[in-house]
Amino acid sequence: VVTAVGDIPAHVEFFENPEDVAREKGKLAAAAPRTGFVILNHDDYLAYDMKEKTKAPVLTYGLEERAEVRISNYEIRIAKDIDAGDTPAGVSFKIDCKGSTVPMRLSGALGIGAAYAAGAGAAVGIAMGMNMLEVSEALREYAPPSGRMRLIRGIKHSVILDDTYNASPAAVRAALETLREAPGKRKIAVLGDVLEIGEYTEHAHRAIGVLAVQCADMIFCVGARAKFIADEARLRGFDSSHVFIFDDSRSAGRALDPMIRAGDLILVKGSQGMRMEQAVEEIMVHPEDASKLLVRQEAYWKNN
């Protein structure tokens, strides 16, 4: 399964260019046997092009009409009273394959990324012989892992969108777009450095700044690279009194604490090396549950 490569891929610092990253990932598709299956994101052109590299059957998923497992009708399900501390319930969408359509609802997570993950999972199920009803029933059990667009209750009846597991430029863009779409009296973006993107560092962070001013009412920047986000936000006319810069995530969380109001939706996002989960811990309503709800560095390295 190849979920995405992106215009500026994660870890591109260690390659000549994005195409080299795609070429390396494409070796997985090339190695798949005829008796196997290759599942590709139809909407990511570098991933989709891997269909030419494999002898195995290919199944694609995505929002595009030609995707064989197609995601449609995506929307955020809004809670009745977010100002009283209710969280947005999650996302809903439809998955269609070969004329069979099932409705999907995922709770506890926001973002189109959750729908893409479900699409990839559905494609795996179909490749393994499941029908769409079985796929739908299985996906009802989905729960977002720690740090993956997970909804956490914040202090003062705020809501935290915890996306602290890791970051790439494409993932930050998706997270900010979710912040823009989701309900909330104010939108606050707490953004850490995106690491391991080499020569693309300044360009990528400035692009994040351009988008952040369209999505957030306040911007907290963490790290030396994130200063480019702050700089670009100011250049775009964003109120300088609503842009803050910190060296570490815990300091950012502590500074944000007294500024939070009821109904705020707070996105926290950055590369795992920035330990952005520490900012979440500072503003979550039950910090004693941090070990259960938040990604921990030792867990990240165990999985990588």
Side-chain angles (χ1 to χ4, degrees):
V1 181
V2 183
T3 57
V5 178
D7 295 334
I8 304 177
H11 318 302
V12 72
E13 178 179 2
F14 307 110
F15 295 85
E16 287 294 325
N17 50 52
E19 289 73 23
D20 276 357
V21 178
R23 194 172 297 113
E24 187 71 18
K25 292 177 181 287
K27 292 178 182 178
L28 295 168
R34 294 180 186 273
T35 54
F37 243 99
V38 171
I39 294 166
L40 302 174
N41 181 349
H42 190 286
D43 303 345
D44 184 300
Y45 76 96
L46 287 173
Y48 182 65
D49 283 350
M50 293 179 194
K51 70 184 188 300
E52 307 297 339
K53 296 177 169 48
T54 184
K55 297 177 181 178
V58 173
L59 191 60
T60 64
Y61 69 94
L63 297 171
E64 295 286 342
E65 288 189 13
R66 294 185 180 181
E68 292 158 292
V69 178
R70 187 175 177 234
I71 303 159
S72 64
N73 297 87
Y74 163 82
E75 62 181 3
I76 293 173
R77 294 190 289 124
I78 302 173
K80 293 181 179 178
D81 191 5
I82 189 174
D83 295 345
D86 288 349
T87 60
V91 295
S92 64
F93 49 93
K94 294 180 179 179
I95 295 180
D96 176 90
C97 183
K98 299 178 181 178
S100 179
T101 303
V102 293
M104 291 299 311
R105 289 195 172 194
L106 304 181
S107 298
L110 291 185
I112 192 65
Y116 271 109
V124 171
I126 292 164
M128 299 299 291
M130 296 174 68
N131 61 46
M132 290 299 289
L133 180 60
E134 291 172 316
V135 167
S136 176
E137 291 175 349
L139 286 172
R140 287 177 189 170
E141 303 300 318
Y142 172 81
S146 298
R148 296 285 198 181
M149 296 297 280
R150 189 173 190 174
L151 292 166
I152 294 177
R153 289 187 181 276
I155 59 172
K156 305 174 190 176
H157 299 300
S158 64
V159 176
I160 303 166
L161 186 50
D162 175 18
D163 200 28
T164 58
Y165 184 83
N166 210 350
S168 67
V172 178
R173 182 168 61 247
L176 282 169
E177 289 171 348
T178 300
L179 179 69
R180 179 171 56 193
E181 295 168 5
K185 273 192 171 180
R186 294 189 306 172
K187 311 293 181 67
I188 300 172
V190 185
L191 305 171
D193 289 352
V194 179
L195 304 176
E196 298 182 355
I197 53 175
E199 65 184 85
Y200 300 95
T201 294
E202 180 174 352
H203 169 76
H205 285 84
R206 288 192 178 277
I208 291 168
V210 171
L211 181 58
V213 303
Q214 303 170 32
C215 304
D217 300 296
M218 300 172 68
I219 303 171
F220 287 68
C221 301
V222 180
R225 299 161 184 82
K227 291 177 182 177
F228 291 122
I229 299 174
D231 183 55
E232 192 64 32
R234 295 187 184 111
L235 288 174
R236 299 283 168 165
F238 198 77
D239 188 343
S240 293
S241 67
H242 291 174
V243 180
F244 307 88
I245 300 174
F246 300 89
D247 292 329
D248 64 273
S249 60
R250 195 171 293 281
S251 296
R254 288 171 178 165
L256 175 57
D257 183 326
M259 301 184 196
I260 293 173
R261 302 175 190 167
D264 284 348
L265 181 64
I266 305 162
L267 167 67
V268 186
K269 178 72 173 171
S271 286
Q272 177 50 212
M274 300 306 295
R275 302 300 304 277
M276 297 302 292
E277 74 275 6
Q278 294 178 353
V280 176
E281 188 172 3
E282 291 294 327
I283 58 174
M284 61 193 295
V285 74
H286 292 299
E288 67 274 14
D289 293 335
S291 61
K292 294 185 292 184
L293 297 178
L294 306 185
V295 67
R296 290 303 189 190
Q297 193 172 44
E298 55 270 22
Y300 171 84
W301 291 114
K302 181 179 178 181
N303 291 331
N304 288 272

Short mmCIF file of all heavy atoms in Angstrom, two decimals, residues 259-286:
data_model
loop_
_atom_site.label_atom_id
_atom_site.label_comp_id
_atom_site.label_asym_id
_atom_site.label_seq_id
_atom_site.Cartn_x
_atom_site.Cartn_y
_atom_site.Cartn_z
N MET A 259 -4.55 32.13 27.43
CA MET A 259 -5.23 32.78 26.31
C MET A 259 -6.44 32.01 25.81
O MET A 259 -7.25 32.53 25.04
CB MET A 259 -4.26 32.96 25.14
CG MET A 259 -3.03 33.77 25.46
SD MET A 259 -2.02 33.99 23.96
CE MET A 259 -0.46 34.52 24.69
N ILE A 260 -6.57 30.75 26.21
CA ILE A 260 -7.63 29.89 25.69
C ILE A 260 -8.99 30.34 26.20
O ILE A 260 -9.15 30.71 27.36
CB ILE A 260 -7.36 28.42 26.07
CG1 ILE A 260 -6.10 27.92 25.35
CG2 ILE A 260 -8.56 27.53 25.74
CD1 ILE A 260 -5.67 26.53 25.78
N ARG A 261 -9.98 30.27 25.29
CA ARG A 261 -11.37 30.59 25.63
C ARG A 261 -12.26 29.40 25.28
O ARG A 261 -11.91 28.55 24.47
CB ARG A 261 -11.83 31.81 24.85
CG ARG A 261 -11.02 33.07 25.05
CD ARG A 261 -11.55 34.16 24.11
NE ARG A 261 -10.69 35.33 24.08
CZ ARG A 261 -10.81 36.29 23.17
NH1 ARG A 261 -11.74 36.18 22.21
NH2 ARG A 261 -10.00 37.34 23.20
N ALA A 262 -13.43 29.41 25.86
CA ALA A 262 -14.41 28.36 25.55
C ALA A 262 -14.73 28.38 24.06
O ALA A 262 -14.92 29.44 23.47
CB ALA A 262 -15.68 28.57 26.36
N GLY A 263 -14.78 27.21 23.46
CA GLY A 263 -15.12 27.10 22.05
C GLY A 263 -13.94 27.15 21.11
O GLY A 263 -14.11 26.98 19.90
N ASP A 264 -12.72 27.37 21.64
CA ASP A 264 -11.54 27.38 20.78
C ASP A 264 -11.25 25.99 20.23
O ASP A 264 -11.42 24.98 20.92
CB ASP A 264 -10.30 27.83 21.57
CG ASP A 264 -10.27 29.33 21.82
OD1 ASP A 264 -11.08 30.06 21.21
OD2 ASP A 264 -9.44 29.77 22.64
N LEU A 265 -10.83 25.95 18.97
CA LEU A 265 -10.33 24.72 18.36
C LEU A 265 -8.84 24.92 18.12
O LEU A 265 -8.44 25.86 17.42
CB LEU A 265 -11.04 24.41 17.05
CG LEU A 265 -10.60 23.12 16.33
CD1 LEU A 265 -10.91 21.90 17.18
CD2 LEU A 265 -11.29 23.00 14.97
N ILE A 266 -8.02 24.04 18.70
CA ILE A 266 -6.57 24.24 18.72
C ILE A 266 -5.88 23.09 18.01
O ILE A 266 -5.94 21.94 18.46
CB ILE A 266 -6.07 24.32 20.18
CG1 ILE A 266 -6.82 25.41 20.94
CG2 ILE A 266 -4.56 24.59 20.20
CD1 ILE A 266 -6.73 25.28 22.46
N LEU A 267 -5.23 23.38 16.90
CA LEU A 267 -4.44 22.39 16.17
C LEU A 267 -3.01 22.42 16.69
O LEU A 267 -2.40 23.48 16.79
CB LEU A 267 -4.44 22.70 14.68
CG LEU A 267 -3.41 21.93 13.82
CD1 LEU A 267 -3.74 20.44 13.77
CD2 LEU A 267 -3.31 22.53 12.42
N VAL A 268 -2.46 21.24 17.02
CA VAL A 268 -1.06 21.13 17.41
C VAL A 268 -0.40 20.15 16.45
O VAL A 268 -0.81 19.00 16.35
CB VAL A 268 -0.90 20.66 18.87
CG1 VAL A 268 0.58 20.70 19.28
CG2 VAL A 268 -1.73 21.52 19.82
N LYS A 269 0.65 20.63 15.74
CA LYS A 269 1.24 19.85 14.65
C LYS A 269 2.72 20.15 14.52
O LYS A 269 3.13 21.32 14.64
CB LYS A 269 0.53 20.20 13.33
CG LYS A 269 1.06 19.51 12.09
CD LYS A 269 0.70 18.05 12.06
CE LYS A 269 1.07 17.39 10.74
NZ LYS A 269 0.92 15.93 10.78
N GLY A 270 3.53 19.14 14.25
CA GLY A 270 4.95 19.33 14.00
C GLY A 270 5.66 18.00 13.94
O GLY A 270 5.10 16.96 14.30
N SER A 271 6.89 18.02 13.50
CA SER A 271 7.68 16.79 13.45
C SER A 271 7.91 16.25 14.85
O SER A 271 8.01 17.01 15.82
CB SER A 271 9.02 17.04 12.75
OG SER A 271 8.85 17.19 11.36
N GLN A 272 8.01 14.93 14.96
CA GLN A 272 8.13 14.32 16.27
C GLN A 272 9.38 14.79 17.01
O GLN A 272 9.39 14.87 18.24
CB GLN A 272 8.12 12.79 16.16
CG GLN A 272 8.32 12.05 17.46
CD GLN A 272 7.43 12.50 18.61
OE1 GLN A 272 7.83 12.43 19.76
NE2 GLN A 272 6.23 12.96 18.31
N GLY A 273 10.42 15.14 16.28
CA GLY A 273 11.61 15.66 16.92
C GLY A 273 11.37 16.93 17.70
O GLY A 273 12.17 17.31 18.58
N MET A 274 10.26 17.61 17.43
CA MET A 274 9.91 18.84 18.14
C MET A 274 9.10 18.57 19.41
O MET A 274 8.81 19.49 20.17
CB MET A 274 9.12 19.78 17.22
CG MET A 274 9.88 20.20 15.98
SD MET A 274 11.49 20.92 16.37
CE MET A 274 10.99 22.40 17.25
N ARG A 275 8.69 17.32 19.61
CA ARG A 275 7.95 16.91 20.81
C ARG A 275 6.72 17.79 21.05
O ARG A 275 6.45 18.25 22.17
CB ARG A 275 8.86 16.93 22.04
CG ARG A 275 10.10 16.03 21.94
CD ARG A 275 9.77 14.56 21.75
NE ARG A 275 8.90 14.05 22.80
CZ ARG A 275 9.34 13.64 24.00
NH1 ARG A 275 10.61 13.69 24.30
NH2 ARG A 275 8.48 13.19 24.89
N MET A 276 5.93 17.96 20.01
CA MET A 276 4.77 18.84 20.10
C MET A 276 3.69 18.32 21.05
O MET A 276 2.83 19.07 21.51
CB MET A 276 4.18 19.07 18.71
CG MET A 276 5.12 19.77 17.74
SD MET A 276 5.68 21.38 18.33
CE MET A 276 4.15 22.30 18.27
N GLU A 277 3.74 17.03 21.37
CA GLU A 277 2.76 16.48 22.33
C GLU A 277 2.90 17.13 23.70
O GLU A 277 1.96 17.14 24.50
CB GLU A 277 2.90 14.95 22.43
CG GLU A 277 4.10 14.45 23.19
CD GLU A 277 5.35 14.36 22.33
OE1 GLU A 277 5.31 14.79 21.17
OE2 GLU A 277 6.37 13.85 22.84
N GLN A 278 4.08 17.70 23.98
CA GLN A 278 4.25 18.39 25.27
C GLN A 278 3.38 19.65 25.34
O GLN A 278 2.93 20.03 26.43
CB GLN A 278 5.72 18.73 25.48
CG GLN A 278 6.60 17.49 25.64
CD GLN A 278 8.08 17.82 25.81
OE1 GLN A 278 8.48 18.98 25.69
NE2 GLN A 278 8.88 16.82 26.10
N ALA A 279 3.14 20.30 24.22
CA ALA A 279 2.23 21.44 24.20
C ALA A 279 0.80 20.98 24.50
O ALA A 279 0.06 21.65 25.23
CB ALA A 279 2.28 22.15 22.84
N VAL A 280 0.41 19.84 23.92
CA VAL A 280 -0.92 19.30 24.18
C VAL A 280 -1.08 18.99 25.66
O VAL A 280 -2.12 19.31 26.27
CB VAL A 280 -1.16 18.03 23.34
CG1 VAL A 280 -2.51 17.41 23.69
CG2 VAL A 280 -1.07 18.33 21.86
N GLU A 281 -0.08 18.40 26.26
CA GLU A 281 -0.15 18.04 27.68
C GLU A 281 -0.40 19.26 28.56
O GLU A 281 -1.07 19.18 29.59
CB GLU A 281 1.14 17.34 28.10
CG GLU A 281 1.09 16.75 29.49
CD GLU A 281 2.30 15.90 29.81
OE1 GLU A 281 3.21 15.82 28.95
OE2 GLU A 281 2.35 15.31 30.90
N GLU A 282 0.12 20.41 28.15
CA GLU A 282 -0.03 21.63 28.94
C GLU A 282 -1.45 22.18 28.91
O GLU A 282 -1.86 22.91 29.82
CB GLU A 282 0.94 22.70 28.44
CG GLU A 282 2.40 22.41 28.71
CD GLU A 282 2.73 22.42 30.20
OE1 GLU A 282 2.11 23.20 30.95
OE2 GLU A 282 3.62 21.64 30.60
N ILE A 283 -2.23 21.84 27.88
CA ILE A 283 -3.55 22.47 27.72
C ILE A 283 -4.70 21.47 27.70
O ILE A 283 -5.86 21.87 27.56
CB ILE A 283 -3.60 23.34 26.44
CG1 ILE A 283 -3.29 22.50 25.20
CG2 ILE A 283 -2.63 24.52 26.56
CD1 ILE A 283 -3.47 23.26 23.88
N MET A 284 -4.44 20.18 27.86
CA MET A 284 -5.51 19.19 27.88
C MET A 284 -6.19 19.20 29.24
O MET A 284 -5.57 19.48 30.27
CB MET A 284 -4.99 17.79 27.52
CG MET A 284 -3.95 17.23 28.46
SD MET A 284 -3.10 15.76 27.80
CE MET A 284 -4.44 14.57 27.71
N VAL A 285 -7.48 18.89 29.25
CA VAL A 285 -8.25 19.01 30.48
C VAL A 285 -7.87 17.93 31.49
O VAL A 285 -8.01 18.14 32.71
CB VAL A 285 -9.77 18.99 30.16
CG1 VAL A 285 -10.24 17.59 29.78
CG2 VAL A 285 -10.57 19.55 31.32
N HIS A 286 -7.36 16.80 31.02
CA HIS A 286 -6.95 15.73 31.93
C HIS A 286 -5.50 15.33 31.63
O HIS A 286 -5.24 14.28 31.02
CB HIS A 286 -7.86 14.51 31.76
CG HIS A 286 -9.26 14.74 32.24
ND1 HIS A 286 -9.56 15.06 33.55
CD2 HIS A 286 -10.45 14.72 31.56
CE1 HIS A 286 -10.87 15.21 33.67
NE2 HIS A 286 -11.43 15.01 32.49
#
